[in-house]
Amino acid sequence: MTEMEKVGAEDERLARERKKLARDGPKLTGAKLEARLDRAWHRPPGILGWLATVDHKEIGRRYIITALIFLALGGALAALMRIQLAVPDNNFISAQRYNELFTMHGSTMMFLFAVPVMEGVAVYIIPLMLGTRSTAFPRLNAFSYFMYLFGGLMLWVAFALNIGPDIGWFAYTPLSGPQFSPGKRADVWAQMITFTEVSALAAAVVLVATILKTRAPGMTLARMPLFAWAMLVQAVMIIFAMPAVALASSMLISDRLVGTNFFNAYEHGDALLWQHLFWFFGHPEVYIIFLPATGFVSVLTETFCRRPVFAYPVVVLALISTGILAFGLWVHHMFATGLPRVGYSFYTAASMTVAIPTGLQIFCWLATMWDGRPRLQVPMLYVIGFIVTFVIGGLTGVIIASVPLDLELHDTYFIVAHFHYVLIGGAVFPLLGILTYWFPKITGRMMNETLGKIGFWLLFLGFQLAFFPMHFSGLLGMPRRVYTYPAGLGLELPNLLSTIGAFVVATSVALFVVNGVVSLYRGAIAPPNPWGASTLEWATSSPPPVYNFAHIPVVESRTPLWDVAGELPVVTGLRVDEKELLLTTVVAAAPDLREPVPQASLWPFIASVAVGVFFISSIFSPWAIVFGAIPCAIALTAWFWPKEIKRHPEPVIS
């Protein structure tokens, strides 16, 4: 037999085997198909199954719940700080403890809440929104969550043991260096950053691959939901921004633990190098938090105005432009450090230019509302609250982009007010709106509308009362990060109002949590598409089955659930006895490959424990880098060791 004949015979044999495989299709539908899929996709039972799961919905729920717990902890610290600042010359908290509180508050909110909760929502929703059954690299997805959890636990356990960091969430050198911060407080902070770097980078890789390669057939890039676009840009930004802070934290802990001098000016280091590296990450970090929130707003505006978002291409280009421009204005934070005047001009222009794409998005949302008929249900109220609050924060951002004004206002409470208007207004308002919106998708029950509206108005009014007076505190000269202030400077009333507002905000968040917990058990059963939405996550049951979709849907427009009368068209031919994913082409989303999905595995958890022990032990001894690398290498080798491969990716059967 010739070589060509052998190849032909092998192809025929493979074709016969493929025909024998159990696949979905006209002969396998309904309850019989769902039972087969449930057996194939269900995770193992018990605690080991809970640790081994690679189901994106379970991992997404864990991200969201863990991040909300950290939000509550960070908020509790903020309440303690506001009690201290409510009246002048207060001794409720000591200066040292206050340093620890604002460091823990900022670090928790920025690194353990804001970015992880956005990634958690995306990990849960994006596969459903794209019409697929799983994320790409599901084991890496599980590993990212455990790294995030261990990093947060390390930080808060250290705080409970009175070795929590006290150097601010930005850890400026030389104050965070070995000369001015002896002990292990700064080391704990630097290693917490390392945990979150690894976690965020892993989740970003998962999201990029999922969005580009697992979209439903027909969902071209021009038909992709705006939330998916926002998460794609955010994930790419994480991949480019995180290495900068990874390098910075590694250099800092190297200075502290092994005696290098990267930031020691007396040994030809440079303390300003820290600020350049940190803010090259830190300012994109603001947009890494903000861009997913713009995706939330687009989803909510489209659904509650009952029309597609106005000027879809403009919104997409605005998202991409924001992601690019965000990397060109990090020195916005360094105007007071003494830079060349040409640099001042460039970064002032860049800081003002970045407002343009955000303004375009706001105009597109307003045009959508103008052309539609907005339904003022709770999620839409959060959209309106977001626009009002974020515009105020954006205007103050343009003010401090001016060098003379920034030099006057730098490190005052004006900056605190601006920062919270941008981040709480730009992230928390949309987040609470989208959690209300997707609560029935996640739980199968509706949140109470009346409690939701009361909670929104408490948050909106309490927020303005808490943070608007801080503008006046800053204009009167109140510095940031001071634990008390003398009487007679005109600061008493603004600080008292801010403290009252902070407790109103805390009440609103507590009411949101109570509403969620009560609704989880007693809420009205959610109909299949309770909001009348247009995107694919509502094309499956609520909560979704473990396999997401019995058949992979086909998309023919940007708003498939509005544009298709009756059942969505579907593709068939995927395995039902094993987990299998349909991969599509990057641009056109044409069916490409049928990819086997990894089964549940304990190795991501074991690897995260090994890496966590490695990171934590290295705080106390440099030798841990040598000996701690051994269990990491064993765990990762076992995870990636070539197994007996029964199946390879296969071309789609036409």
Side-chain angles (χ1 to χ4, degrees), residues 499-510:
T499 298
I500 295 171
F503 279 90
V504 176
V505 170
T507 302
S508 71
V509 175

Side-chain angles (χ1 to χ4, degrees), residues 64-373:
I64 294 168
I65 293 170
T66 306
L68 291 178
I69 292 172
F70 284 128
L71 170 65
L73 293 172
L77 300 184
L80 293 173
M81 288 189 288
R82 286 315 319 171
I83 293 173
Q84 168 65 18
L85 296 173
V87 294
D89 299 313
N90 197 355
N91 293 315
F92 176 68
I93 295 173
S94 68
Q96 171 60 27
R97 184 64 69 187
Y98 191 87
N99 285 346
E100 296 174 29
L101 291 184
F102 78 70
T103 300
M104 289 293 296
H105 169 74
S107 300
T108 298
M109 293 303 197
M110 293 298 292
F111 298 110
L112 301 179
F113 165 66
V115 175
V117 76
M118 299 301 182
E119 290 188 321
V121 172
V123 162
Y124 189 101
I125 289 294
I126 284 292
L128 295 167
M129 185 175 275
L130 300 183
T132 187
R133 289 176 174 168
S134 174
T135 60
F137 311 127
R139 292 182 179 178
L140 182 63
N141 194 26
F143 174 79
S144 75
Y145 169 74
F146 287 119
M147 290 302 298
Y148 158 60
L149 176 64
F150 295 153
L153 289 176
M154 180 200 72
L155 180 70
W156 276 87
V157 168
F159 179 67
L161 296 175
N162 199 29
I163 55 172
D166 57 357
I167 52 176
W169 74 273
F170 36 77
Y172 281 166
T173 57
L175 296 180
S176 60
Q179 302 95 329
F180 298 99
S181 293
K184 295 300 179 184
R185 296 181 185 274
D187 300 325
V188 168
W189 183 90
Q191 286 300 64
M192 182 274 295
I193 296 298
T194 308
F195 273 100
T196 57
E197 292 154 10
V198 173
S199 171
L201 281 168
V205 169
V206 168
L207 289 172
V208 169
T210 301
I211 293 169
L212 292 182
K213 285 299 295 177
T214 68
R215 302 192 308 276
M219 187 182 284
T220 64
L221 291 180
R223 294 173 179 168
M224 196 162 71
L226 288 170
F227 176 60
W229 269 111
M231 290 310 306
L232 177 61
V233 175
Q234 186 238 28
V236 173
M237 289 181 69
I238 288 174
I239 292 171
F240 280 96
M242 284 291 177
V245 74
L247 177 62
S249 64
S250 299
M251 292 164 71
L252 175 63
I253 205 164
S254 177
D255 276 10
R256 294 182 55 83
L257 296 180
V258 296
T260 56
N261 292 287
F262 291 109
F263 305 115
N264 184 358
Y266 295 104
E267 296 292 341
H268 306 290
D270 189 352
L272 274 185
L273 175 61
W274 170 267
Q275 290 196 41
H276 280 290
L277 290 173
F278 183 84
W279 287 119
F280 186 80
F281 147 82
H283 204 89
E285 167 89 341
V286 173
Y287 295 97
I288 286 168
I289 295 167
F290 171 66
L291 285 180
T294 67
F296 299 158
V297 173
S298 293
V299 169
L300 297 175
T301 303
E302 178 175 280
T303 298
F304 290 95
C305 294
R306 193 65 185 182
R307 64 145 293 159
V309 172
F310 179 80
Y312 173 96
V314 173
V315 177
V316 172
L317 291 174
L319 290 168
I320 297 171
S321 301
T322 301
I324 295 171
L325 290 170
F327 285 93
L329 47 99
W330 75 92
V331 181
H332 171 104
H333 297 265
M334 300 172 60
F335 284 154
T337 59
L339 297 171
R341 293 300 182 263
V342 174
Y344 282 161
S345 302
F346 174 83
Y347 290 105
T348 294
S351 299
M352 294 183 176
T353 302
V354 78
I356 295 175
T358 302
L360 288 173
Q361 289 188 79
I362 291 175
F363 279 116
C364 289
W365 295 324
L366 293 176
T368 307
M369 297 178 198
W370 182 269
D371 193 49
R373 294 184 177 180

Side-chain angles (χ1 to χ4, degrees), residues 528-575:
N529 189 356
W531 313 109
S534 66
T535 43
L536 290 181
E537 73 270 23
W538 300 105
T540 185
S541 60
S542 300
V546 66
Y547 48 84
N548 290 353
F549 297 92
H551 293 289
I552 302 301
V554 174
V555 172
E556 297 174 345
S557 69
R558 291 178 190 156
T559 52
L561 298 191
W562 288 350
D563 299 333
V564 174
E567 296 290 330
L568 285 169
V570 298
V571 294
T572 59
L574 290 180
R575 294 282 294 271

Side-chain angles (χ1 to χ4, degrees), residues 437-604:
Y437 175 77
W438 276 324
F439 188 85
K441 172 51 56 182
I442 297 172
T443 67
R445 293 182 180 270
M446 304 292 293
M447 293 184 75
N448 184 280
E449 186 80 3
T450 302
L451 288 179
K453 289 182 177 179
I454 294 172
F456 164 76
W457 285 110
L458 282 175
L459 178 63
F460 181 76
L461 297 175
F463 177 85
Q464 310 306 326
L465 182 61
F467 293 101
F468 198 80
M470 290 183 184
H471 293 102
F472 299 102
S473 302
L475 291 171
L476 290 170
M478 183 173 177
R480 302 170 69 179
R481 302 185 287 274
V482 292
Y483 83 107
T484 191
Y485 54 93
L489 300 179
L491 301 174
E492 294 89 344
L493 181 59
N495 277 290
L496 180 60
L497 292 175
S498 292
T499 298
I500 295 171
F503 279 90
V504 176
V505 170
T507 302
S508 71
V509 175
L511 185 60
F512 183 90
V513 173
V514 169
N515 190 3
V517 173
V518 172
S519 299
L520 182 62
Y521 297 99
R522 298 184 181 179
I525 301 298
N529 189 356
W531 313 109
S534 66
T535 43
L536 290 181
E537 73 270 23
W538 300 105
T540 185
S541 60
S542 300
V546 66
Y547 48 84
N548 290 353
F549 297 92
H551 293 289
I552 302 301
V554 174
V555 172
E556 297 174 345
S557 69
R558 291 178 190 156
T559 52
L561 298 191
W562 288 350
D563 299 333
V564 174
E567 296 290 330
L568 285 169
V570 298
V571 294
T572 59
L574 290 180
R575 294 282 294 271
V576 297
D577 56 336
E578 293 183 12
K579 297 200 291 186
E580 190 170 66
L581 201 62
L582 176 64
L583 303 186
T584 53
T585 55
V586 171
V587 177
D592 188 17
L593 291 172
R594 292 178 287 110
E595 175 79 10
V597 177
Q599 297 293 330
S601 171
L602 279 173
W603 285 114

